[in-house]
């Protein structure tokens, strides 16, 4: 299990690139609701600003027309949630989402109007497409002649570990059939008062059909929090996560008495039962119960979980991988890539 029940605060997130983001958010740990929201917002913003992370924020890859758009959400409870999708001119979707949650009666704003809302609330308008992402898109256009269905058929996120540069989007030379991946930072925080909060930020599927929105900004899909029960976040192929309302489902299993391990496993199993898996598909979920126990499960190898708590900074494999034999990279591809790493606590070194 990623973590046994404990009243101590903790912070967990999807993929090894979440580790420095969680560390940044951890510095906001405090006693009140604002502090736990600060933790989530700061962590997601840290990942957004990291140009090396090619699936979130400024390092993310654009849609098939070369336009970048970002999705995100933040949640404390079913009646305390905000999200934005198809944000084109602001870098931090979770920060704008928090403003949606705090200053409107709504839970989701999209597109131009989400950008206008961010303008009105004083968020800086800026370019969110990096020159590297633009170059990657130009190569993709050259390779694929811009087919209008996104590049989904051979993309699968694979996490090379913490000593890599944060890229899930892998060069094709590494594993032949799976040249690329995408994904989300999803974080689950628990504070000293046992309060819970979740957040998600993503640039979505690389080279997606313009207008496509995945699971991350949608309540119950990319994230869900039930105070007094638990919370969950999902990552991977957004359409499959949305199809089973994965984060809602995971917390519903918890609400009905399942353990965190069973909740995570059964959620991923539901995806597996619902869809005919294609090589690019991956879904993973992290589940935390209100006692602080944490588990994670994935359809396939290649997903990792980052965790930060007092005295612990670590990246771990999920407890359960439904198809461990499925889609492993050839040895030649793994050589030279980082293995799962325990990253030292900077405060201890
Ligand atoms: N899981 C992120 C997305 O599919 O957009």
């Amino acid at each position: 299990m990623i973590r046994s029940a404990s009243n101590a605060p903790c912070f967990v997130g999807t993929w090894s690139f979440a580790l420095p983001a969680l560390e940044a958010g951890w510095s906001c740990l405090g006693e009140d609701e604002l502090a736990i929201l600060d933790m989530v917002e700061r962590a997601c913003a840290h990942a957004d600003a990291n140009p090396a992370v090619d699936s979130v924020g400024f390092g993310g890859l654009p849609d098939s027309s070369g336009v970048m758009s970002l999705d995100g959400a933040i949640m404390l409870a079913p009646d305390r949630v905000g999200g934005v999708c198809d944000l084109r001119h602001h870098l931090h979707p979770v920060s704008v989402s928090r403003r949606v949650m705090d200053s409107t009666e709504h839970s989701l704003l999209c597109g131009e109007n989400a950008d206008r809302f961010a303008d009105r609330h004083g968020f800086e308008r800026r370019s969110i497409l990096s020159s590297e992402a633009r170059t990657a898109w130009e190569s993709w256009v050259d390779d694929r002649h811009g087919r209008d269905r996104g590049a989904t058929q051979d993309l699968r996120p694979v996490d090379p570990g913490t000593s890599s540069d944060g890229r899930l989007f892998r060069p094709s030379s590494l594993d032949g059939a799976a040249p690329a991946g995408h994904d989300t930072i999803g974080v689950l925080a628990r504070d000293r008062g046992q309060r819970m909060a979740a957040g998600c930020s993503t640039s979505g599927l690389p080279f997606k059909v313009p207008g496509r929105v995945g699971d991350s900004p949608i309540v119950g899909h990319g994230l869900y929090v039930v105070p007094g029960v638990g919370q969950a976040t999902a990552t991977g192929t957004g359409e499959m996560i949305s199809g089973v309302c994965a984060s809602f489902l995971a917390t519903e299993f918890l609400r009905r008495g399942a353990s965190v391990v069973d909740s995570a496993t059964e959620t991923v199993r539901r995806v597996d039962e619902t869809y005919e898996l294609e090589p690019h598909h991956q879904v993973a979920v992290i589940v935390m119960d209100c006692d602080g126990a944490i588990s994670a499960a994935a359809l396939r190898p290649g997903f990792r979980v980052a965790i930060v708590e007092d005295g612990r900074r670590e990246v771990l494999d999920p407890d359960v991988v439904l198809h461990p034999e499925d889609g492993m990279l050839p040895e030649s591809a793994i050589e030279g890539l980082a293995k799962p790493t325990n990253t030292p606590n900077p405060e201890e070194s």
Side-chain angles (χ1 to χ4, degrees), residues 11 17-26 39 42-47 185 187:
F11 204 10
F17 66 68
L19 191 64
L22 296 178
E23 287 173 328
W26 188 250
M39 284 172 77
R42 176 83 63 90
C44 293
H46 189 279
I185 183 166
V187 301

Side-chain angles (χ1 to χ4, degrees), residues 201-260:
S201 178
T202 189
S203 51
L205 187 64
F207 318 131
K208 61 200 171 192
V209 173
R212 179 265 186 193
V213 173
D215 56 300
S216 303
I218 300 180
V219 183
H221 297 196
L223 76 179
Y224 204 65
V225 185
V226 187
V229 173
Q231 57 180 344
T233 187
T235 183
T237 313
E239 287 72 9
M240 300 166 85
I241 296 167
S242 289
V244 303
C245 302
S247 294
F248 173 80
L249 184 63
T251 56
E252 190 61 13
F253 284 132
L254 281 183
R255 202 174 66 81
R256 292 169 181 238
S259 67
V260 285

